[in-house]
Amino acid sequence: MTRNDDTYDVMVIGAGFAGMAAALFASAQGLKVVQTGSTGGIDFSTGFIDLMGVHPVAEGKRWRNPWSAIEAVVRDFPKHPYGLLSTDEISEAIDIFTRFLVEQGLEYVGHQERNTCSLTPAGTIKRTYRVPKTAWNGSVALGQKAPTLIVDFHGLKGFSGAQLVETQKHHWPELKTVRIQFPGGRGELYPEHMAWALADLGIQEKMIAAIMPHAVDVEYIGFPAVLGLNDPVKIVNHLEKLSEKQIFEIPTIPPSIAGPRLRAVFDRGLPSLGVRTHSQKMVTGVKVLDNGMFEFSVGTGAAMLPVTAKKAILATGRFFGKGLRADRKKLVEPVFDLSVVQPEERGQWHAQEFFAPQGHPVNSAGIEVDERLRPVDASGRPAYANLHAAGAILAHHDWMRMKCGAGLAIATAYKAVKELMR
Ligand SMILES: Cc1cc2nc3c(=O)[nH]c(=O)nc-3n(C[C@H](O)[C@H](O)[C@H](O)COP(=O)(O)OP(=O)(O)OC[C@H]3O[C@@H](n4cnc5c(N)ncnc54)[C@H](O)[C@@H]3O)c2cc1C
């Protein structure tokens, strides 16, 4: 085992939206931060930052104003994690997070008081709070039902302009589509390869030349989100110059390029803020030392590293992130063996119907916390005085159906950092 005697102020366990946000907020407070974690929801996300979109989920009621939606959900479910935060805290968290993305070259935009309607790859409309700037013109075009061309590519799976137009045809008559050959690309195409290829100005020019005969009568051109990995705004600006049209991106189905764009921002941005990152490494064990600090085992085998930290933030997600595990009879939290709020027995984990409008009880399982976001034991007392939790691992919400995924992760990470500073 390699020795590493540095003691950190805080260990952030998790590298999804909550873990990235917690590391960012903690380092901004001047704390000495270490972070571990592997692939999470952020890598598969559409890049949209949802704050609160649907409540009650059984009715599928969609909200224009996310703040009113939060007020309603907290009124109806006082234990929802948003009930632990003020609207100012939520708002500050999202602002700091998106400002960091902008500083790192990944611009995000949105309205302060309302959700933005955005196109999904299926052609449906999603209400979300912040979108990458490269998607913004799509929302404008959608709002105006402006003459718009959706471009897709031979060989690119999971994105069909025809499906998009078919879904929208009754609402948006001036939406049309064309499928073209990607310059230099034959056979199966992948968003990441296309994004790399589009860094080349020659490829951009050839692509626009192939599209223009179909775009004479449109104001907007929409592409699947493949317009560059590190500098999509620059590429969109260049394509606008070449085409003299407004350009936008629509997320592709996961895994899309939006996730790697976000991951890349944090991979380069967090170390430059002094965060020590152990990427693609998991916490495999934890010991509480006599002085109350944690000693974590990070990684496995000969590469295992002990990391000591005064405090920790658990941001390990649910099943997808590996923050919760399902045994035959119960759900467990594998790092600290914390008690997990869950249905009484396995037979109650799921509703009878897969698409049950109210969702499945298992999707609201997670860790119960006190008002300072410290996980509590069965008697309701903090399991550890210096452990806080954030993100999807928190109980009493179904982010997927409520459309509050990234927003809740970022906001609770902000609150967790604030509380551990006290
Ligand atoms: C396909 C998909 C699409 C999505 N699209 C959107 C969207 O458009 N908008 C939106 O707002 N939200 C979206 N989300 C949801 C959003 O990504 C999640 O709500 C959010 O990621 C929850 O974040 P989290 O950090 O709490 O958990 P996760 O993203 O699950 O991350 C958990 C992290 O913890 C790490 N971890 C787990 N165990 C350990 C351990 N023992 N040691 C160290 N690290 C550990 C994992 O490796 C991972 O890095 C999407 C999610 C998915 C899966």
Side-chain angles (χ1 to χ4, degrees):
M1 196 190 261
T2 327
R3 289 301 319 170
N4 175 355
D5 293 326
D6 275 349
T7 297
Y8 291 90
D9 293 321
V10 57
M11 159 68 112
V12 175
I13 314 168
F17 270 108
M20 295 305 196
L24 170 67
F25 298 142
S27 65
Q29 293 296 327
L31 298 176
K32 188 173 172 187
V33 184
V34 56
Q35 184 198 33
T36 61
S38 182
T39 307
I42 202 168
D43 300 276
F44 293 87
S45 88
T46 54
F48 295 159
I49 297 179
D50 303 343
L51 187 53
M52 187 72 206
V54 179
H55 174 73
V57 290
E59 290 168 25
K61 180 177 173 188
R62 302 190 308 154
W63 293 70
R64 183 179 154 87
N65 183 326
W67 304 105
S68 306
I70 288 173
E71 206 181 306
V73 83
V74 171
R75 187 186 57 230
D76 296 344
F77 298 106
K79 287 187 160 185
H80 190 284
Y82 275 143
L84 300 166
L85 287 87
S86 68
T87 48
D88 281 351
E89 286 169 330
I90 300 171
S91 182
E92 276 159 28
I94 303 289
D95 285 351
I96 299 171
F97 189 88
T98 47
R99 211 176 309 134
F100 172 73
L101 296 179
V102 173
E103 282 161 15
Q104 294 291 324
L106 196 58
E107 274 187 73
Y108 268 71
V109 285
H111 305 283
Q112 200 56 32
E113 292 298 326
R114 67 178 164 95
N115 281 323
T116 296
C117 290
S118 288
L119 279 170
T120 73
T124 53
I125 310 297
K126 173 172 173 162
R127 289 180 193 209
T128 189
Y129 191 57
R130 291 280 181 268
V131 298
K133 185 160 184 230
T134 55
W136 184 250
N137 278 336
S139 299
V140 178
L142 169 69
Q144 298 172 350
K145 304 288 183 276
T148 299
L149 174 71
I150 305 292
V151 176
D152 74 6
F153 299 92
H154 291 287
L156 176 65
K157 289 186 180 153
F159 186 91
S160 159
Q163 185 190 348
L164 223 140
V165 171
E166 180 63 24
T167 311
Q168 282 296 321
K169 68 181 176 196
H170 298 301
H171 315 284
W172 194 349
E174 290 191 84
L175 186 68
K176 62 177 192 169
T177 185
V178 64
R179 179 165 292 184
I180 64 161
Q181 205 73 49
F182 188 68
R186 293 256 175 264
E188 216 165 299
L189 294 177
Y190 296 94
E192 197 159 341
H193 298 158
M194 297 167 82
W196 281 119
L198 278 163
D200 182 329
L201 295 184
I203 302 271
Q204 293 178 31
E205 281 161 20
K206 282 187 190 152
M207 183 175 77
I208 289 295
I211 292 167
M212 285 321 286
H214 309 275
V216 181
D217 51 351
V218 301
E219 291 170 27
Y220 291 83
I221 305 177
F223 289 88
V226 297
L227 305 180
L229 191 60
N230 293 323
D231 46 9
V233 174
K234 201 165 134 201
I235 292 181
V236 164
N237 289 344
H238 189 233
L239 296 180
E240 288 189 337
K241 208 160 136 202
L242 290 173
S243 64
E244 296 179 351
K245 308 283 178 189
Q246 308 284 323
I247 303 286
F248 63 90
E249 288 187 308
I250 302 164
T252 58
I253 59 164
S256 76
I257 206 74
R261 279 180 190 158
L262 282 161
R263 166 92 39 211
V265 158
F266 286 98
D267 281 353
R268 61 174 183 264
L270 289 180
S272 73
L273 293 174
V275 177
R276 174 75 173 94
T277 54
H278 293 286
S279 12
Q280 300 303 322
K281 287 208 168 141
M282 304 291 265
V283 166
T284 47
V286 58
K287 210 160 60 185
V288 180
L289 304 177
D290 291 342
N291 57 10
M293 291 188 203
F294 297 113
E295 185 180 280
F296 295 99
S297 305
V298 174
T300 51
M304 190 193 280
L305 186 78
V307 175
T308 309
K310 294 175 191 161
K311 302 186 178 192
I313 295 181
L314 185 69
T316 47
R318 284 192 184 150
F319 306 101
F320 186 76
K322 298 195 173 65
L324 294 182
R325 215 180 50 217
D327 279 351
R328 288 202 67 77
K329 290 199 169 155
K330 62 179 188 354
L331 309 177
V332 294
E333 186 288 304
V335 179
F336 291 91
D337 195 20
L338 296 166
S339 70
V340 177
V341 178
Q342 57 189 293
E344 264 177 30
E345 50 185 68
R346 192 186 170 111
Q348 298 167 353
W349 287 2
H350 297 98
Q352 282 295 317
E353 290 167 42
F354 185 72
F355 290 113
Q358 75 278 19
H360 303 277
V362 72
N363 291 330
S364 293
I367 300 300
E368 186 93 66
V369 289
D370 68 3
E371 71 290 349
R372 298 187 54 205
L373 271 82
R374 290 175 303 184
V376 294
D377 60 21
S379 65
R381 280 192 291 271
Y384 302 90
N386 47 355
L387 176 67
H388 298 257
I393 194 167
L394 300 173
H396 308 298
H397 75 280
D398 181 348
W399 63 263
M400 200 180 293
R401 285 174 186 77
M402 292 174 158
K403 304 290 175 217
C404 62
L408 184 141
I410 295 163
T412 52
Y414 183 73
K415 178 76 171 177
V417 169
K418 211 169 149 182
E419 290 298 336
L420 73 72
M421 296 285 296
R422 282 173 55 181

